[in-house]
């Protein structure tokens, strides 16, 4: 059967957060005839195997943490049954499926034609889509957006690496592992290590260096590593993995051979779950970028400027496929701005996302929040003589009723530049950091000075008041 041909103003390849936001803005607000193509589930990584189910799992781990701490407040809680991970997992799946359906309804409401299939560029104005039933459609579009996201990596040079899972596989687990090893030092490894630990798994975190979250301010790195060890997470520093093999007679179990700081000559650990969190790659396989002449960088990311323009006229790219600030809200904001610029008329001809001072949070235990420059980056950019740093470390009132060994840290740092002390970085660690940073992020984005923080009357008693009372 010959391919069916369609024409549109705007073809969006990839229906994750960024692609959906752009498609809906183009069609629903500006009336552009839009076709959106997705080969997996609507919502992309964030909704299906990222932010959303991760936060639900973090909530469960936080409840487990609170139950443990309740005794310090006089509550005597008797556990009558272990945590029902399987029931929790299926309820989490149901929630994600509801979101998938909501996204489908939103596309219909905004008159976006949705095709479920795999798209392959033919040239700069057309693509072929292979649908689920094997039929093909050729789509000619005046403009094309690549928003295909990324996928987690698995090592290619470690025998038996395929016995492990990735962050995608984390959400397929039907039972809670007894002993889990996570390999990686980024926010995915750190978040999942915290969740596994507080839900009851013996948790080992393998990192290549001395600390994790190494793109964050040193205060964050050092404090969260110390706190994870205090909680009982076993951290293997300066580690490397040699091979993984199945254990005979123990279905689901494996043995990992490794070296680390305490075992430089090698050791082994038996596991029923191994999770690789060693980075992500752009989802560009079989996309046909070469046929359209779209330039990629050395890691395969699509090269796009601040306006989301690629090397080819009328082809645009945003989100994780570009490898620039890989956060869901960034992709959404960039998608809406691009939709405005392409179809919103002269008033939006210069619309683009400002990628400076993007707040981000790590849902660790405790939470970590960061916006702007770390202290070393600020010194490198402005010179040490032009940087002033304010910091505080304290025990949040929540922990006042607990034994000293049970008290988690709270640490804040504000990095300022120049004689008028413009805030160029804010880094916070402690309970409530995620909600707290959203508000302070607005202030930093507006160019606040240290005196602006000082001028705000503190809300007492809170942890956040420390950010407006630093000396």
């Amino acid at each position: 059967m010959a391919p069916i041909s369609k024409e549109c103003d705007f073809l969006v390849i990839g229906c994750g957060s960024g692609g959906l936001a752009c498609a809906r803005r183009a069609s629903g607000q500006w009336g552009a005839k839009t076709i959106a193509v997705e080969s997996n589930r609507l919502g992309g990584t964030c909704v299906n195997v990222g932010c959303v189910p991760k936060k639900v799992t973090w909530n469960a781990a936080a409840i487990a943490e609170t139950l443990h701490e309740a005794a310090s407040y006089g509550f005597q809680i008797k556990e009558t049954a272990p945590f029902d991970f399987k029931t929790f997992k299926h309820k989490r799946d149901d929630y994600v499926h509801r979101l998938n359906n909501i996204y489908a309804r939103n596309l219909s409401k905004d008159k976006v034609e949705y095709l479920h299939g795999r798209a392959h560029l033919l040239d700069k104005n057309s693509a072929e889509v292979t649908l689920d039933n094997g039929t093909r459609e050729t789509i000619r579009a005046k403009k094309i957006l690549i928003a295909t996201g990324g996928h987690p990596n698995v090592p290619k040079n470690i025998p038996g690496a395929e016995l492990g899972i990735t962050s995608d596989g984390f959400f397929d687990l039907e039972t809670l592992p007894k002993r889990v090893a996570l390999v990686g030092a980024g926010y995915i490894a750190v978040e999942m290590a915290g969740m596994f630990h507080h839900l009851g798994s013996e948790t080992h975190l393998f990192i290549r260096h001395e600390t994790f979250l190494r793109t964050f301010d040193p205060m964050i790195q050092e404090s969260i590593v110390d706190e994870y060890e205090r909680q009982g997470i076993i951290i293997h520093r300066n580690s490397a993995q040699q091979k993984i093999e199945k254990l005979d007679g123990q279905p689901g179990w494996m043995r990992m051979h490794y070296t680390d700081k305490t075992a430089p000559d090698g050791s082994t650990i038996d596991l029923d779950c191994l999770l690789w969190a060693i980075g992500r790659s752009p989802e560009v396989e079989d996309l046909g970028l070469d046929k359209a002449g779209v330039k990629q960088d050395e890691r395969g990311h699509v090269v796009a400027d601040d306006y989301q323009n690629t090397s080819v006229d009328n082809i645009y790219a945003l989100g994780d496929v570009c490898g620039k600030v890989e956060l869901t809200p960034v992709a959404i904001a960039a998608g809406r701005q691009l939709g405005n610029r392409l179809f919103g008329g002269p008033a939006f001809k210069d619309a683009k996302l400002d990628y400076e001072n993007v707040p981000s949070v790590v849902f660790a235990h405790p939470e970590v929040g960061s916006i702007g420059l770390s202290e070393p980056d600020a010194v490198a950019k402005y010179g040490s003589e032009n940087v002033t740093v304010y910091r505080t470390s304290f025990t949040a009132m929540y922990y006042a009723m607990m034994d000293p060994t049970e008290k988690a840290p709270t640490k804040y740092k504000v990095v300022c530049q120049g004689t008028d002390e413009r805030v160029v970085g804010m880094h916070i660690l402690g309970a409530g950091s995620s909600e707290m940073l959203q508000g302070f992020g607005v202030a930093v984005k507006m160019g606040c000075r240290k005196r602006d923080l000082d001028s705000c009357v503190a809300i007492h008693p809170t942890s956040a008041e420390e950010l407006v009372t630093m000396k």
Side-chain angles (χ1 to χ4, degrees), residues 375-391:
E375 181 180 348
D377 287 344
V379 169
K381 182 172 183 178
Y382 299 113
S384 59
E385 70 279 7
N386 297 311
V387 173
T388 306
V389 177
Y390 297 86
R391 52 173 64 84

Side-chain angles (χ1 to χ4, degrees), residues 186-212:
Y187 73 93
I188 292 174
V190 172
E191 289 178 337
M192 292 187 170
M195 291 184 285
F196 273 125
H197 172 71
H198 286 288
L199 291 176
S201 298
E202 179 186 317
T203 304
H204 295 252
L205 181 56
F206 288 79
I207 60 178
R208 288 190 299 170
H209 301 280
E210 288 288 328
T211 61
F212 44 71

Side-chain angles (χ1 to χ4, degrees), residues 73-312:
Y73 276 84
F75 292 93
Q76 302 302 318
I77 298 174
K78 183 178 180 181
E79 186 177 69
T80 58
F83 173 59
D84 189 348
F85 185 83
K86 187 171 185 178
T87 295
F88 164 76
K89 188 263 185 193
H90 285 249
K91 288 187 72 174
R92 186 184 63 197
D93 289 348
D94 290 343
Y95 174 52
V96 170
H97 291 152
R98 290 198 299 273
L99 294 178
N100 296 147
N101 293 332
I102 289 170
Y103 278 116
R105 291 196 296 271
N106 285 340
L107 286 176
S108 177
K109 181 180 68 176
D110 285 329
K111 297 181 173 56
V112 176
E113 182 179 351
Y114 170 51
L115 301 178
H116 195 270
R118 191 80 175 176
H120 181 90
L121 292 172
L122 300 176
D123 54 48
K124 73 173 190 174
N125 287 109
S126 63
E128 183 179 83
V129 179
T130 303
L131 303 178
D132 293 343
N133 62 7
T135 61
R136 293 174 295 160
E137 294 191 1
T138 299
I139 301 172
R140 289 197 57 79
K142 296 175 183 177
K143 301 180 188 299
I144 297 174
L145 171 63
I146 300 167
T148 48
H151 56 256
N153 296 330
V154 174
K156 297 179 180 179
N157 59 345
I158 299 176
E162 71 281 357
L163 296 175
I165 61 172
T166 65
S167 55
D168 288 1
F170 172 84
F171 299 105
D172 291 329
L173 291 174
E174 291 281 344
T175 57
L176 189 66
K178 290 181 174 60
R179 182 183 298 132
V180 59
L182 302 99
V183 181
Y187 73 93
I188 292 174
V190 172
E191 289 178 337
M192 292 187 170
M195 291 184 285
F196 273 125
H197 172 71
H198 286 288
L199 291 176
S201 298
E202 179 186 317
T203 304
H204 295 252
L205 181 56
F206 288 79
I207 60 178
R208 288 190 299 170
H209 301 280
E210 288 288 328
T211 61
F212 44 71
L213 299 180
R214 294 176 62 245
T215 61
F216 285 74
D217 188 87
M219 179 196 76
I220 298 293
Q221 297 179 45
E222 295 158 8
S223 301
I224 196 69
V225 168
D226 290 344
E227 174 60 9
Y228 265 32
E229 288 191 309
R230 182 195 70 80
Q231 293 176 9
I233 296 172
I234 302 160
I235 299 175
H236 299 258
R237 293 172 171 82
N238 307 130
S239 70
Q241 296 71 46
Q242 280 73 51
K243 66 176 180 178
I244 300 93
E245 55 194 6
K246 291 182 179 180
L247 282 181
D248 294 336
Q250 297 186 57
W253 282 76
M254 67 198 83
R255 177 167 293 159
M256 183 170 74
H257 297 252
Y258 69 92
T259 58
D260 66 8
K261 189 174 183 177
T262 62
D265 296 325
S267 187
T268 63
I269 183 172
D270 293 348
L271 311 160
D272 60 338
C273 183
L274 167 63
L275 192 151
W276 300 108
I278 57 173
R280 296 174 63 84
S281 293
E283 184 75 17
V284 293
E285 295 81 0
D286 74 358
L287 190 54
L289 296 175
D290 54 335
K291 292 183 179 180
V294 176
K295 185 178 178 181
Q296 297 169 259
D297 66 17
E298 64 279 0
R299 295 184 58 195
H301 292 106
V302 176
V303 176
D305 64 16
D306 286 349
Y307 288 88
Q308 316 306 147
N309 300 310
T310 71
S311 58
V312 178

Side-chain angles (χ1 to χ4, degrees), residues 397-471:
M397 187 177 288
Y398 175 78
Y399 300 105
M401 306 291 284
M402 299 177 191
D403 292 337
T405 57
E406 295 291 316
K407 295 181 179 182
T410 305
K411 296 187 178 185
Y412 300 155
K413 177 187 284 189
V414 176
V415 182
C416 302
Q417 178 263 327
T419 55
D420 62 347
E421 295 191 321
R422 180 171 62 95
V423 178
V424 295
M426 183 177 289
H427 312 282
I428 59 178
L429 178 148
S433 290
S434 59
E435 301 291 351
M436 200 183 301
L437 187 65
Q438 187 69 80
F440 281 101
V442 174
V444 174
K445 191 73 176 174
M446 293 176 67
C448 78
R449 270 58 177 171
K450 176 64 167 58
R451 63 177 178 270
D452 298 317
L453 298 179
D454 297 340
S455 71
C456 183
V457 175
I459 302 171
H460 183 73
T462 65
S463 293
E465 67 180 296
E466 295 289 332
L467 283 167
V468 299
T469 57
M470 285 185 179
K471 301 297 181 186

Side-chain angles (χ1 to χ4, degrees), residues 334-348:
R336 289 172 178 163
Q337 292 284 21
L338 179 63
N340 289 339
R341 184 169 71 86
L342 296 183
F343 302 104
F348 296 96

